[in-house]
């Protein structure tokens, strides 16, 4: 398993883009003691449909740290102005806010750093591993369904394994939601859409074409990320030269995919089944759903509930972590981007 995970990491690091010197300079300026992983993501790193000039976009980073309290303590000393008023409560309180509210990540946004506008989030290694395995928030794990640019490569075996399992989980979920025949682009679009389904910001504040804009220009990077997983999935036939896939759903294949979904999806499926008067036992629910043609509806609604809860919690938390002024500025930038995307459509 670890060997496969290492290959996954290699594929991530092979998604090289411009601004290399900028990324390394920025990462090198932050406390590196206990930084288990760092990656850049978003429209400042990977081209999106409709973008004329990537260099004007804010750069987004996520730092995965072993000890959030210690890391924030060092970072506040170095860059107190990156933080809102919460810095006056100290690093210990910030670490608690990070871990106990929203999606378990603490963002400093609209920060002018090293001559560049950036946003960076901090999440603990343990919390990320949990999200990757269980999809308890599908927030950072959802970002890792898509190509990212790894800047600090992790060495933690549990994290490496969890990153690979997260990609496999995304594949299982997507296959349950796709028809018998579909293209590679449709597969990657469905995978990407998982972490946006149920996010209230997709209704107001995000470009409605966001998922398509992410996938279309980056198909080679998605293939690098999922190639080994597709090849290892026995319930899928991949016509690689045609960028087309086939599956023939049966109760056996559906049970296989349902059984390998993350814990939080299973928990939500139990809740939904109870509401409809079904059996509360998880194994029995999966067995029954595998024989039903509408099991995709249960999967969709279970994932949507995860995303809805975490997106609301993280958005409310951002008001505190960014401060009122930055929150308003950031929201206005999102709305402006949404209106621009809708106008093009």
């Amino acid at each position: 398993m670890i060997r496969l995970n290492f290959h996954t990491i290699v594929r991530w690091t092979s998604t090289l883009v411009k601004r290399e010197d900028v990324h390394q300079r920025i990462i090198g300026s932050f406390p590196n003691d206990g930084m288990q992983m760092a990656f850049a993501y978003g429209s400042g790193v990977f081209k999106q449909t409709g973008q004329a000039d990537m260099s004007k976009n804010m750069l987004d980073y996520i730092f995965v740290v072993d000890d959030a309290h210690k890391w924030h303590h060092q970072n506040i000393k170095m860059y107190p102005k990156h933080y809102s008023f919460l810095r006056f409560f100290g690093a210990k309180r910030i670490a608690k806010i990070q871990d106990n509210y929203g999606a378990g990540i603490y963002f400093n946004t609209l920060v002018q750093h090293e001559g560049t506008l950036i946003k960076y989030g901090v999440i603990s290694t343990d919390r990320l591993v949990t999200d990757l395995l269980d999809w308890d928030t599908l927030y950072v794990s959802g970002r890792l369904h898509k190509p990212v640019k790894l800047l600090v490569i992790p060495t933690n075996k549990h994290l490496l394994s969890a990153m690979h399992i997260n990609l496999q989980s995304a594949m299982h979920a997507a296959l349950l939601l796709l028809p018998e025949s579909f293209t590679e682009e449709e597969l990657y679009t469905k995978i990407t859409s998982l972490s946006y389904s149920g996010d209230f910001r997709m209704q107001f504040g995000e470009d409605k074409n966001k998922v398509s804009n992410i996938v279309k220009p980056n198909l080679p990077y998605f293939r690098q990320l999922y190639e080994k997983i597709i090849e290892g999935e026995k319930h899928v036939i991949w016509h690689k030269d045609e960028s087309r896939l086939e599956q023939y759903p049966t109760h056996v294949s559906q049970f296989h995919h349902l059984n390998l979904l993350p814990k939080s999806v299973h928990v939500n499926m139990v809740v939904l089944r109870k509401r409809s008067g079904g059996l509360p036992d998880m194994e029995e629910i999966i067995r029954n759903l595998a024989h039903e043609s509408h099991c995709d509806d249960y999967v969709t609604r279970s994932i949507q509930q995860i995303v809805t809860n975490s997106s609301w919690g993280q958005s409310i938390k951002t008001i505190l972590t960014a401060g009122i002024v930055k929150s308003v500025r950031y929201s206005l930038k999102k709305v402006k981007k949404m209106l621009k995307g809708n106008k093009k459509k």
Side-chain angles (χ1 to χ4, degrees):
M1 178 67 73
I2 298 303
R3 181 177 60 84
L4 289 175
N5 290 331
F6 178 73
H7 288 166
T8 300
I9 297 304
V10 170
R11 291 198 297 279
W12 255 306
T13 57
S14 70
T15 57
L16 297 177
V17 291
K18 295 179 180 179
R19 306 175 85 173
E20 182 73 28
D21 291 342
V22 174
H23 294 311
Q24 293 302 330
R25 188 174 72 247
I26 288 172
I27 294 300
S29 68
F30 284 98
N32 56 22
D33 185 22
M35 187 180 286
Q36 181 61 225
M37 180 170 75
F39 62 87
Y41 67 98
S43 61
V45 183
F46 293 92
K47 184 174 176 57
Q48 294 186 11
T49 302
Q51 279 188 344
D53 186 1
M54 288 173 57
S55 66
K56 295 180 180 179
N57 294 337
M58 179 171 66
L59 295 180
D60 297 287
Y61 299 96
I62 288 181
F63 304 149
V64 183
V65 301
D66 292 331
D67 187 332
H69 176 201
K70 183 178 179 180
W71 194 91
H72 282 296
H73 179 73
Q74 294 173 339
N75 201 50
I76 290 172
K77 281 186 174 181
M78 295 171 67
Y79 309 113
K81 292 185 178 179
H82 285 192
Y83 292 80
S84 69
F85 68 93
L86 291 177
R87 69 181 183 273
F88 296 114
F89 292 94
K92 187 175 181 179
R93 182 62 58 86
I94 284 176
K96 285 186 176 180
I97 292 171
Q98 172 186 307
D99 203 47
N100 296 333
Y101 300 97
I105 186 168
Y106 189 103
F107 278 105
N108 286 326
T109 189
L110 296 178
V111 173
Q112 282 290 343
H113 187 72
E114 296 288 328
T116 306
L117 185 65
I118 70 169
K119 176 181 77 174
Y120 63 94
V122 184
I123 187 170
S124 71
T125 304
D126 289 344
R127 185 63 189 267
L128 177 56
V129 168
T130 298
D131 191 35
L132 291 167
L133 294 177
D134 297 341
W135 287 8
D136 60 341
T137 70
L138 202 51
Y139 200 87
V140 180
S141 58
R143 277 160 176 71
L144 289 170
H145 288 166
K146 304 180 284 291
V148 300
K149 182 174 177 57
L150 276 179
L151 301 168
V152 176
I153 300 176
T155 56
N156 183 301
K157 291 183 178 180
H158 296 297
L159 177 56
L160 288 168
S161 177
M163 289 171 72
H164 185 70
I165 291 170
N166 179 50
L167 296 178
Q168 291 178 315
S169 296
M171 179 66 66
H172 291 303
L175 291 175
L176 285 164
L177 305 177
L178 285 163
E180 291 184 2
S181 180
F182 50 93
T183 64
E184 266 190 79
E185 182 177 332
E186 288 171 331
L187 170 63
Y188 304 142
T189 298
K190 182 59 69 176
I191 287 173
T192 301
S193 70
L194 295 174
S195 58
Y196 292 112
S197 64
D199 189 338
F200 74 94
R201 293 169 298 183
M202 292 300 290
Q203 302 301 316
F204 185 78
E206 289 285 5
D207 185 350
K208 300 298 185 296
N209 306 310
K210 184 180 180 76
V211 172
S212 176
N213 291 346
I214 291 170
V215 175
K216 280 184 179 294
N218 296 296
L219 289 172
Y221 298 144
F222 275 96
R223 177 179 276 202
Q224 288 176 338
L225 198 55
Y226 286 97
E227 185 173 26
K228 294 297 182 184
I229 294 174
I230 297 173
E231 290 174 345
E233 179 48 62
K234 61 183 179 181
H235 295 288
V236 170
I237 301 169
W238 187 13
H239 305 283
K240 202 169 184 179
D241 293 339
E242 302 174 21
S243 299
R244 183 173 59 85
L245 299 96
E246 293 179 38
Q247 62 173 342
Y248 299 98
T250 65
H251 71 278
V252 175
S253 65
Q254 294 206 144
F255 180 84
H256 169 73
H257 297 312
L258 286 166
N259 196 45
L260 291 173
L261 292 176
K263 176 183 175 182
S264 295
V265 182
H266 284 166
V267 169
N268 284 351
M269 286 196 300
V270 170
V271 173
L272 289 172
R273 203 65 168 176
K274 280 183 178 179
R275 289 176 184 170
S276 61
L279 297 169
D281 180 73
M282 186 70 253
E283 187 176 341
E284 190 68 25
I285 287 172
I286 291 175
R287 190 176 295 111
N288 276 273
L289 283 176
H291 286 83
E292 297 181 10
S293 60
H294 62 278
C295 78
D296 59 324
D297 180 57
Y298 278 88
V299 175
T300 298
R301 290 162 64 192
S302 296
I303 293 174
Q304 284 178 341
Q305 190 59 56
I306 296 169
V307 177
T308 297
N309 291 342
S310 65
S311 63
W312 273 110
Q314 189 63 35
S315 294
I316 293 170
K317 177 178 172 179
T318 298
I319 297 174
L320 296 175
T321 60
I324 298 295
V325 175
K326 281 189 177 181
S327 294
V328 172
R329 283 176 57 200
Y330 185 69
S331 297
L332 288 175
K333 283 171 69 74
K334 286 285 187 180
V335 172
K336 184 178 179 181
K337 192 173 181 180
M338 176 193 72
L339 294 174
K340 185 178 179 182
N342 290 344
K343 191 178 292 185
K344 286 182 180 180
K345 184 177 179 181

